[in-house]
Amino acid sequence: MSVRHFFRRPPAVSADEAMRLVDAGALIVDVRRDQDWRRNHIPGAQHIPLDQLESRADELPEDRLLITFCTGGLLSSGAANLLLDLGFEATNMVRGLIDWRRAGGPLTSGTG
């Protein structure tokens, strides 16, 4: 992943919009570190840490909107741009976990 991925503003959605998009079939891609994922994560999200995203992109579906997610929205912004460059339909959830909690989004802990 190149630093240039952090200089462009990707398409973005709020947590409220993300919840509606997930209900319509979008997939949350959580790019946080393993320990953050184990602490809490969005049920049904796919976890691929940011430093592995490019090498593991083939694990992601090509026929669904991907919503990148992190704690505050900065790392996931770069992740969304990377996925766009790789040909995926992707958007960033602004303010990440912070906004997700504010909107009352569900969270779970552990590896599941």
Side-chain angles (χ1 to χ4, degrees):
M1 181 162 175
S2 168
V3 70
R4 70 181 168 83
H5 291 110
F6 293 98
F7 288 116
R8 290 178 292 153
R9 182 171 290 168
V13 295
S14 69
D16 291 318
E17 292 170 298
M19 286 182 217
R20 286 190 292 278
L21 290 167
V22 166
D23 287 343
L27 175 66
I28 301 286
V29 179
D30 189 325
V31 299
R32 297 175 303 151
R33 299 173 302 169
D34 289 334
Q35 61 264 34
D36 298 322
W37 167 264
R38 285 189 301 273
R39 188 175 311 117
N40 56 44
H41 58 270
I42 297 171
Q46 183 155 351
H47 178 232
I48 302 179
L50 182 61
D51 63 348
Q52 299 172 24
L53 187 60
E54 190 165 10
S55 65
R56 293 180 54 195
D58 61 339
E59 297 175 26
L60 297 169
E62 296 178 3
D63 60 347
R64 294 171 70 184
L65 173 64
L66 305 177
I67 303 171
T68 57
F69 172 86
C70 68
T71 301
L74 180 62
L75 295 178
S76 57
S77 175
N81 281 328
L82 172 63
L83 291 172
L84 288 167
D85 285 352
L86 294 173
F88 291 94
E89 181 184 5
T91 189
N92 178 43
M93 186 188 316
V94 294
R95 293 178 300 280
L97 182 63
I98 295 165
D99 202 27
W100 186 261
R101 282 185 171 150
R102 181 211 48 82
L107 291 170
T108 190
S109 61
T111 57

